[in-house]
Amino acid sequence: MIDHNKPLCRKLIVVEGIYSNYGDLAPLDRIWAVKDKYKYRLMVDESHAFGVLGATGRGACEHFNLKPGQVEIIAASMSHAMGSVGGFCVGDQTTVEHQRLSGSGYCFSASLPPYLAAAGIHMLRGMRPGGPLVEALGRLHGRVRAFRGELLKGVPGLKLYGGSVPSPVLHLHLARPSGSEAADGAVLRRLADHMLSYGGVLVGVSQYSALEARRPPPSLVMYVHLGLGDRELAVAAAALRRAAKEVLKQ
């Protein structure tokens, strides 16, 4: 029987599998232990990890060996690895029914066009055991390790955040920041412009909303994906070191 006098447990831990602002991973094994101990609920946003982490690309939960039933809500954008638009949210039947009735697709008839839904389904089929995505993930993970290892050898005037974590999102911070967010951002933009002009390598510079209470320091943002082969990654590393020497005078 349900004890209606017992207070409802509405405490929810909400984390991202891969944090885009830093490129690091949420330690889901330790977070789940806390969640289980105190009987909280856990929601994981897998937008940057789905199709990237885990043996079959199911995200950070798979990377940390968490079963679907151990996480109450898993959500992700379909505009990253899935090459579509929109997003999805999975959980138990009650959660799914709530999302189905409250989601934009039901309320405003804003469902995916059929061809974009088909693109997402095709990608999911590739995640089955023996599917093409599973084989490709091994190559992606190898390239992430190789490129991170190359950057860990040192880039003059810059430092790689996160070390050897298996995230394909890489942030490079100034080794000696000035203390001024605007000045450091301007230096990094000059560095990015140099890489594009002289090396043909396009990188981003982090931008954050002024409303964020705790903004990370400015950084160069680089992403490793399957479209980049060993040659392209070597060119990117060389262009980065050359730009650092020219712009930072290291």
Side-chain angles (χ1 to χ4, degrees), residues 45-48 50-51 75-90 111-124:
D45 183 344
E46 295 273 29
S47 293
H48 291 280
F50 191 77
S77 169
M78 294 171 61
S79 62
H80 296 284
M82 295 184 73
S84 186
V85 299
F88 65 84
C89 179
V90 297
S111 299
L112 287 178
Y115 70 93
L116 288 174
I121 292 171
H122 180 75
M123 185 269 188
L124 292 175

mmCIF file of all heavy atoms in Angstrom, residues 45-48 50-51 75-90 111-124:
data_model
loop_
_atom_site.group_PDB
_atom_site.id
_atom_site.type_symbol
_atom_site.label_atom_id
_atom_site.label_comp_id
_atom_site.label_asym_id
_atom_site.label_seq_id
_atom_site.Cartn_x
_atom_site.Cartn_y
_atom_site.Cartn_z
ATOM 1 N N ASP A 45 21.674 14.508 -18.885
ATOM 2 C CA ASP A 45 21.590 15.073 -20.236
ATOM 3 C C ASP A 45 22.767 14.514 -21.036
ATOM 4 O O ASP A 45 23.919 14.862 -20.792
ATOM 5 C CB ASP A 45 21.657 16.598 -20.170
ATOM 6 C CG ASP A 45 21.496 17.254 -21.542
ATOM 7 O OD1 ASP A 45 21.637 16.550 -22.564
ATOM 8 O OD2 ASP A 45 21.249 18.468 -21.595
ATOM 9 N N GLU A 46 22.465 13.663 -21.993
ATOM 10 C CA GLU A 46 23.498 12.970 -22.766
ATOM 11 C C GLU A 46 23.755 13.631 -24.126
ATOM 12 O O GLU A 46 24.310 12.999 -25.024
ATOM 13 C CB GLU A 46 23.071 11.512 -22.995
ATOM 14 C CG GLU A 46 22.978 10.661 -21.743
ATOM 15 C CD GLU A 46 24.315 10.028 -21.384
ATOM 16 O OE1 GLU A 46 25.361 10.625 -21.702
ATOM 17 O OE2 GLU A 46 24.303 8.941 -20.791
ATOM 18 N N SER A 47 23.389 14.897 -24.280
ATOM 19 C CA SER A 47 23.451 15.534 -25.598
ATOM 20 C C SER A 47 24.824 15.433 -26.249
ATOM 21 O O SER A 47 24.941 15.158 -27.447
ATOM 22 C CB SER A 47 23.033 17.004 -25.491
ATOM 23 O OG SER A 47 21.667 17.110 -25.145
ATOM 24 N N HIS A 48 25.888 15.678 -25.473
ATOM 25 C CA HIS A 48 27.233 15.645 -26.042
ATOM 26 C C HIS A 48 27.873 14.262 -25.942
ATOM 27 O O HIS A 48 28.939 14.038 -26.523
ATOM 28 C CB HIS A 48 28.128 16.672 -25.342
ATOM 29 C CG HIS A 48 27.754 18.091 -25.636
ATOM 30 N ND1 HIS A 48 28.110 18.736 -26.794
ATOM 31 C CD2 HIS A 48 27.022 18.982 -24.927
ATOM 32 C CE1 HIS A 48 27.633 19.969 -26.787
ATOM 33 N NE2 HIS A 48 26.967 20.141 -25.664
ATOM 34 N N PHE A 50 25.913 11.135 -26.184
ATOM 35 C CA PHE A 50 25.192 10.105 -26.928
ATOM 36 C C PHE A 50 25.776 9.970 -28.326
ATOM 37 O O PHE A 50 25.971 10.950 -29.039
ATOM 38 C CB PHE A 50 23.705 10.458 -27.011
ATOM 39 C CG PHE A 50 22.843 9.349 -27.535
ATOM 40 C CD1 PHE A 50 22.507 8.284 -26.727
ATOM 41 C CD2 PHE A 50 22.377 9.366 -28.840
ATOM 42 C CE1 PHE A 50 21.716 7.248 -27.205
ATOM 43 C CE2 PHE A 50 21.591 8.348 -29.330
ATOM 44 C CZ PHE A 50 21.257 7.280 -28.509
ATOM 45 N N GLY A 51 26.075 8.741 -28.712
ATOM 46 C CA GLY A 51 26.724 8.502 -29.993
ATOM 47 C C GLY A 51 28.218 8.708 -29.955
ATOM 48 O O GLY A 51 28.888 8.622 -30.988
ATOM 49 N N ALA A 75 18.010 12.239 -21.151
ATOM 50 C CA ALA A 75 17.586 13.126 -22.232
ATOM 51 C C ALA A 75 18.784 13.448 -23.109
ATOM 52 O O ALA A 75 19.932 13.388 -22.664
ATOM 53 C CB ALA A 75 16.984 14.410 -21.671
ATOM 54 N N ALA A 76 18.519 13.779 -24.359
ATOM 55 C CA ALA A 76 19.605 14.157 -25.267
ATOM 56 C C ALA A 76 19.041 14.909 -26.456
ATOM 57 O O ALA A 76 17.887 14.711 -26.854
ATOM 58 C CB ALA A 76 20.385 12.933 -25.744
ATOM 59 N N SER A 77 19.875 15.768 -27.005
ATOM 60 C CA SER A 77 19.541 16.443 -28.257
ATOM 61 C C SER A 77 19.799 15.496 -29.419
ATOM 62 O O SER A 77 20.719 14.682 -29.381
ATOM 63 C CB SER A 77 20.394 17.704 -28.413
ATOM 64 O OG SER A 77 20.271 18.232 -29.718
ATOM 65 N N MET A 78 18.986 15.603 -30.452
ATOM 66 C CA MET A 78 19.192 14.807 -31.660
ATOM 67 C C MET A 78 19.980 15.576 -32.718
ATOM 68 O O MET A 78 20.167 15.087 -33.829
ATOM 69 C CB MET A 78 17.837 14.373 -32.225
ATOM 70 C CG MET A 78 17.077 13.419 -31.320
ATOM 71 S SD MET A 78 15.373 13.115 -31.844
ATOM 72 C CE MET A 78 15.622 12.398 -33.465
ATOM 73 N N SER A 79 20.447 16.778 -32.364
ATOM 74 C CA SER A 79 21.140 17.612 -33.347
ATOM 75 C C SER A 79 22.652 17.437 -33.318
ATOM 76 O O SER A 79 23.357 18.112 -34.066
ATOM 77 C CB SER A 79 20.797 19.088 -33.112
ATOM 78 O OG SER A 79 21.241 19.510 -31.834
ATOM 79 N N HIS A 80 23.158 16.552 -32.469
ATOM 80 C CA HIS A 80 24.602 16.331 -32.403
ATOM 81 C C HIS A 80 24.955 15.077 -33.203
ATOM 82 O O HIS A 80 24.987 15.110 -34.424
ATOM 83 C CB HIS A 80 25.050 16.238 -30.946
ATOM 84 C CG HIS A 80 24.835 17.511 -30.184
ATOM 85 N ND1 HIS A 80 25.642 18.613 -30.326
ATOM 86 C CD2 HIS A 80 23.886 17.874 -29.285
ATOM 87 C CE1 HIS A 80 25.218 19.596 -29.551
ATOM 88 N NE2 HIS A 80 24.148 19.173 -28.903
ATOM 89 N N ALA A 81 25.225 13.975 -32.532
ATOM 90 C CA ALA A 81 25.663 12.765 -33.235
ATOM 91 C C ALA A 81 24.572 12.172 -34.121
ATOM 92 O O ALA A 81 24.870 11.477 -35.093
ATOM 93 C CB ALA A 81 26.135 11.718 -32.226
ATOM 94 N N MET A 82 23.314 12.447 -33.815
ATOM 95 C CA MET A 82 22.234 11.841 -34.585
ATOM 96 C C MET A 82 21.976 12.558 -35.899
ATOM 97 O O MET A 82 21.267 12.036 -36.766
ATOM 98 C CB MET A 82 20.947 11.787 -33.752
ATOM 99 C CG MET A 82 21.054 10.880 -32.540
ATOM 100 S SD MET A 82 19.512 10.712 -31.618
ATOM 101 C CE MET A 82 18.565 9.682 -32.733
ATOM 102 N N GLY A 83 22.513 13.755 -36.071
ATOM 103 C CA GLY A 83 22.364 14.464 -37.336
ATOM 104 C C GLY A 83 20.932 14.816 -37.677
ATOM 105 O O GLY A 83 20.551 14.866 -38.850
ATOM 106 N N SER A 84 20.112 15.089 -36.667
ATOM 107 C CA SER A 84 18.718 15.427 -36.902
ATOM 108 C C SER A 84 18.401 16.697 -36.111
ATOM 109 O O SER A 84 19.293 17.517 -35.880
ATOM 110 C CB SER A 84 17.823 14.252 -36.477
ATOM 111 O OG SER A 84 16.475 14.490 -36.821
ATOM 112 N N VAL A 85 17.165 16.884 -35.707
ATOM 113 C CA VAL A 85 16.788 18.018 -34.866
ATOM 114 C C VAL A 85 15.882 17.508 -33.755
ATOM 115 O O VAL A 85 15.415 16.370 -33.779
ATOM 116 C CB VAL A 85 16.064 19.127 -35.667
ATOM 117 C CG1 VAL A 85 16.948 19.686 -36.754
ATOM 118 C CG2 VAL A 85 14.756 18.601 -36.255
ATOM 119 N N GLY A 86 15.627 18.364 -32.780
ATOM 120 C CA GLY A 86 14.771 17.970 -31.674
ATOM 121 C C GLY A 86 15.558 17.238 -30.610
ATOM 122 O O GLY A 86 16.766 17.421 -30.463
ATOM 123 N N GLY A 87 14.872 16.416 -29.861
ATOM 124 C CA GLY A 87 15.524 15.679 -28.791
ATOM 125 C C GLY A 87 14.638 14.555 -28.309
ATOM 126 O O GLY A 87 13.531 14.343 -28.817
ATOM 127 N N PHE A 88 15.131 13.815 -27.331
ATOM 128 C CA PHE A 88 14.336 12.729 -26.771
ATOM 129 C C PHE A 88 14.546 12.670 -25.266
ATOM 130 O O PHE A 88 15.538 13.177 -24.733
ATOM 131 C CB PHE A 88 14.688 11.383 -27.414
ATOM 132 C CG PHE A 88 16.092 10.908 -27.134
ATOM 133 C CD1 PHE A 88 16.394 10.215 -25.970
ATOM 134 C CD2 PHE A 88 17.108 11.141 -28.041
ATOM 135 C CE1 PHE A 88 17.683 9.771 -25.709
ATOM 136 C CE2 PHE A 88 18.400 10.704 -27.804
ATOM 137 C CZ PHE A 88 18.690 10.019 -26.631
ATOM 138 N N CYS A 89 13.588 12.077 -24.595
ATOM 139 C CA CYS A 89 13.645 11.881 -23.148
ATOM 140 C C CYS A 89 13.096 10.494 -22.862
ATOM 141 O O CYS A 89 12.000 10.153 -23.320
ATOM 142 C CB CYS A 89 12.825 12.949 -22.432
ATOM 143 S SG CYS A 89 12.793 12.774 -20.632
ATOM 144 N N VAL A 90 13.859 9.678 -22.154
ATOM 145 C CA VAL A 90 13.429 8.314 -21.854
ATOM 146 C C VAL A 90 13.449 8.096 -20.346
ATOM 147 O O VAL A 90 14.204 8.730 -19.617
ATOM 148 C CB VAL A 90 14.327 7.268 -22.552
ATOM 149 C CG1 VAL A 90 14.223 7.384 -24.052
ATOM 150 C CG2 VAL A 90 15.780 7.421 -22.121
ATOM 151 N N SER A 111 5.950 18.248 -34.390
ATOM 152 C CA SER A 111 6.711 17.009 -34.478
ATOM 153 C C SER A 111 7.756 17.096 -35.589
ATOM 154 O O SER A 111 7.694 17.958 -36.470
ATOM 155 C CB SER A 111 5.771 15.832 -34.746
ATOM 156 O OG SER A 111 4.850 15.689 -33.689
ATOM 157 N N LEU A 112 8.713 16.166 -35.544
ATOM 158 C CA LEU A 112 9.764 16.132 -36.557
ATOM 159 C C LEU A 112 9.189 15.853 -37.941
ATOM 160 O O LEU A 112 8.256 15.060 -38.077
ATOM 161 C CB LEU A 112 10.764 15.023 -36.237
ATOM 162 C CG LEU A 112 11.732 15.211 -35.079
ATOM 163 C CD1 LEU A 112 12.588 13.962 -34.943
ATOM 164 C CD2 LEU A 112 12.601 16.414 -35.307
ATOM 165 N N PRO A 113 9.762 16.456 -38.984
ATOM 166 C CA PRO A 113 9.430 16.014 -40.341
ATOM 167 C C PRO A 113 9.840 14.553 -40.505
ATOM 168 O O PRO A 113 10.821 14.106 -39.900
ATOM 169 C CB PRO A 113 10.285 16.930 -41.226
ATOM 170 C CG PRO A 113 10.594 18.116 -40.376
ATOM 171 C CD PRO A 113 10.686 17.596 -38.972
ATOM 172 N N PRO A 114 9.121 13.790 -41.293
ATOM 173 C CA PRO A 114 9.413 12.355 -41.414
ATOM 174 C C PRO A 114 10.857 12.038 -41.795
ATOM 175 O O PRO A 114 11.443 11.089 -41.282
ATOM 176 C CB PRO A 114 8.436 11.895 -42.500
ATOM 177 C CG PRO A 114 7.293 12.847 -42.397
ATOM 178 C CD PRO A 114 7.904 14.166 -42.040
ATOM 179 N N TYR A 115 11.467 12.839 -42.680
ATOM 180 C CA TYR A 115 12.821 12.499 -43.120
ATOM 181 C C TYR A 115 13.839 12.675 -41.994
ATOM 182 O O TYR A 115 14.838 11.954 -41.928
ATOM 183 C CB TYR A 115 13.213 13.327 -44.347
ATOM 184 C CG TYR A 115 13.450 14.796 -44.100
ATOM 185 C CD1 TYR A 115 14.724 15.282 -43.825
ATOM 186 C CD2 TYR A 115 12.399 15.704 -44.158
ATOM 187 C CE1 TYR A 115 14.942 16.635 -43.603
ATOM 188 C CE2 TYR A 115 12.606 17.052 -43.935
ATOM 189 C CZ TYR A 115 13.875 17.516 -43.661
ATOM 190 O OH TYR A 115 14.084 18.856 -43.436
ATOM 191 N N LEU A 116 13.587 13.634 -41.069
ATOM 192 C CA LEU A 116 14.498 13.806 -39.946
ATOM 193 C C LEU A 116 14.296 12.704 -38.908
ATOM 194 O O LEU A 116 15.252 12.261 -38.266
ATOM 195 C CB LEU A 116 14.297 15.181 -39.312
ATOM 196 C CG LEU A 116 14.821 16.359 -40.136
ATOM 197 C CD1 LEU A 116 14.449 17.682 -39.483
ATOM 198 C CD2 LEU A 116 16.334 16.267 -40.296
ATOM 199 N N ALA A 117 13.058 12.269 -38.736
ATOM 200 C CA ALA A 117 12.813 11.125 -37.857
ATOM 201 C C ALA A 117 13.497 9.881 -38.421
ATOM 202 O O ALA A 117 14.097 9.090 -37.682
ATOM 203 C CB ALA A 117 11.311 10.889 -37.710
ATOM 204 N N ALA A 118 13.438 9.710 -39.749
ATOM 205 C CA ALA A 118 14.083 8.561 -40.385
ATOM 206 C C ALA A 118 15.600 8.615 -40.205
ATOM 207 O O ALA A 118 16.251 7.579 -40.008
ATOM 208 C CB ALA A 118 13.730 8.518 -41.870
ATOM 209 N N ALA A 119 16.179 9.821 -40.260
ATOM 210 C CA ALA A 119 17.628 9.954 -40.059
ATOM 211 C C ALA A 119 18.018 9.516 -38.656
ATOM 212 O O ALA A 119 19.024 8.818 -38.461
ATOM 213 C CB ALA A 119 18.058 11.399 -40.308
ATOM 214 N N GLY A 120 17.229 9.917 -37.658
ATOM 215 C CA GLY A 120 17.513 9.509 -36.290
ATOM 216 C C GLY A 120 17.385 8.008 -36.097
ATOM 217 O O GLY A 120 18.210 7.376 -35.428
ATOM 218 N N ILE A 121 16.351 7.418 -36.694
ATOM 219 C CA ILE A 121 16.145 5.969 -36.584
ATOM 220 C C ILE A 121 17.299 5.213 -37.235
ATOM 221 O O ILE A 121 17.785 4.201 -36.712
ATOM 222 C CB ILE A 121 14.797 5.579 -37.225
ATOM 223 C CG1 ILE A 121 13.643 6.134 -36.383
ATOM 224 C CG2 ILE A 121 14.678 4.064 -37.358
ATOM 225 C CD1 ILE A 121 12.286 5.986 -37.040
ATOM 226 N N HIS A 122 17.764 5.706 -38.379
ATOM 227 C CA HIS A 122 18.883 5.058 -39.073
ATOM 228 C C HIS A 122 20.133 5.060 -38.198
ATOM 229 O O HIS A 122 20.863 4.060 -38.132
ATOM 230 C CB HIS A 122 19.151 5.777 -40.390
ATOM 231 C CG HIS A 122 20.279 5.182 -41.185
ATOM 232 N ND1 HIS A 122 20.146 3.993 -41.877
ATOM 233 C CD2 HIS A 122 21.561 5.600 -41.377
ATOM 234 C CE1 HIS A 122 21.299 3.707 -42.471
ATOM 235 N NE2 HIS A 122 22.168 4.665 -42.180
ATOM 236 N N MET A 123 20.375 6.173 -37.512
ATOM 237 C CA MET A 123 21.538 6.246 -36.637
ATOM 238 C C MET A 123 21.396 5.266 -35.473
ATOM 239 O O MET A 123 22.347 4.583 -35.088
ATOM 240 C CB MET A 123 21.696 7.680 -36.123
ATOM 241 C CG MET A 123 22.943 7.920 -35.285
ATOM 242 S SD MET A 123 22.631 7.658 -33.527
ATOM 243 C CE MET A 123 24.165 8.232 -32.833
ATOM 244 N N LEU A 124 20.199 5.170 -34.899
ATOM 245 C CA LEU A 124 19.984 4.256 -33.776
ATOM 246 C C LEU A 124 20.198 2.806 -34.198
ATOM 247 O O LEU A 124 20.742 2.003 -33.429
ATOM 248 C CB LEU A 124 18.570 4.438 -33.220
ATOM 249 C CG LEU A 124 18.294 5.772 -32.512
ATOM 250 C CD1 LEU A 124 16.826 5.871 -32.127
ATOM 251 C CD2 LEU A 124 19.169 5.917 -31.272
#
